[in-house]
Amino acid sequence: VLSEFTDADAEAIFAYASNPRVAEMVTWDAHQSLEDSRGFLAFLASKASPQFRAWAIRDPQSLRAFGSISFSQYDVRGQIDYALSADHWGCGLVTEAAQAVLAWAWEEYPALMRVQAYCLPQNAGSRRVMEKCGMHFVELRPAAMVVKGRAVDLAVYAMERTK
Ligand SMILES: CC(C)(COP(=O)(O)OP(=O)(O)OC[C@H]1O[C@@H](n2cnc3c(N)ncnc32)[C@H](O)[C@@H]1OP(=O)(O)O)[C@@H](O)C(=O)NCCC(=O)NCCS
């Protein structure tokens, strides 16, 4: 289930985002305290606009959040980002969530022509998610950004509007 985050999600976010394995290949540090998770919620709230949407990935029964996925619109381009609790990896959940967000975005933004996603080249799981969503590998961008004080290469994936 995908739905908006609320302030009540801070503890559930902390439960997965405090895991160093989850934070290893993302731009943010593993959460050290509930304050970091509340900070994440504040960050999402500060970005709220027609050009940015974020959803909690929730257990369908308990509705407890165990991941996140977001969509950012930049004119005719879009971008998706995601993270999931380590104990749910490998079940197809982020692929399912990303496919749902992509289908939503093509409808929601008629001007959207292309959606991109980025990951560290060694993030095999993320690369596979992008492929399973129908994205194609575009390029390996050397020293594309600084993450946790280090210049990193990025693998760029994209898909174009088909209808
Ligand atoms: C990357 C991540 C989002 C994948 O989510 P997920 O729900 O486990 O992904 P899915 O189950 O939908 O698909 C993962 C695919 O990658 C494959 N995979 C995972 N780890 C792999 C590895 N180390 N080597 C090769 N393939 C790998 C899985 O086998 C699966 O492919 P398959 O269906 O063909 O077998 C999740 O691992 C995660 O949240 N990681 C930490 C945060 C992160 O890296 N976010 C992305 C930043 S760009």
Side-chain angles (χ1 to χ4, degrees):
V1 168
L2 300 183
S3 69
E4 307 240 320
F5 280 105
T6 75
D7 289 347
D9 291 316
E11 187 275 325
I13 294 166
F14 181 71
Y16 70 83
S18 56
N19 183 341
R21 290 173 65 213
V22 173
E24 184 185 353
M25 289 194 258
V26 297
T27 52
W28 42 272
D29 291 314
H31 293 191
Q32 301 299 312
S33 72
L34 262 184
E35 273 316 297
D36 290 340
S37 305
R38 292 194 188 103
F40 172 68
L41 289 167
F43 166 76
L44 294 183
S46 75
K47 287 193 69 170
S49 77
Q51 281 72 48
F52 178 81
R53 288 285 297 272
W55 299 265
I57 302 173
R58 300 183 186 277
D59 178 275
Q61 266 83 48
S62 66
L63 296 182
R64 181 174 170 83
F66 57 84
S68 69
I69 186 161
S70 66
F71 178 84
S72 309
Q73 186 215 2
Y74 306 99
D75 198 4
V76 295
R77 288 177 302 114
Q79 180 179 325
I80 55 170
D81 294 280
Y82 39 72
L84 192 75
S85 135
D87 47 6
H88 291 85
W89 289 355
C91 304
L93 291 172
V94 170
T95 300
E96 189 181 339
Q99 287 171 338
V101 168
L102 287 165
W104 169 85
W106 295 124
E107 288 277 321
E108 183 75 10
Y109 302 96
L112 190 66
M113 295 306 294
R114 180 181 170 89
V115 178
Q116 298 184 331
Y118 304 85
C119 67
L120 295 183
Q122 66 271 32
N123 194 341
S126 187
R127 295 181 78 137
R128 187 79 191 109
V129 165
M130 297 176 201
E131 287 167 0
K132 290 196 291 179
C133 288
M135 293 191 173
H136 56 88
F137 176 64
V138 177
E139 63 176 346
L140 189 67
R141 206 172 282 174
M145 68 187 294
V146 175
V147 177
K148 299 165 189 171
R150 243 172 14 97
V152 296
D153 303 344
L154 286 180
V156 182
Y157 283 75
M159 69 191 299
E160 287 76 32
R161 178 183 286 279
T162 53
K163 58 182 178 187

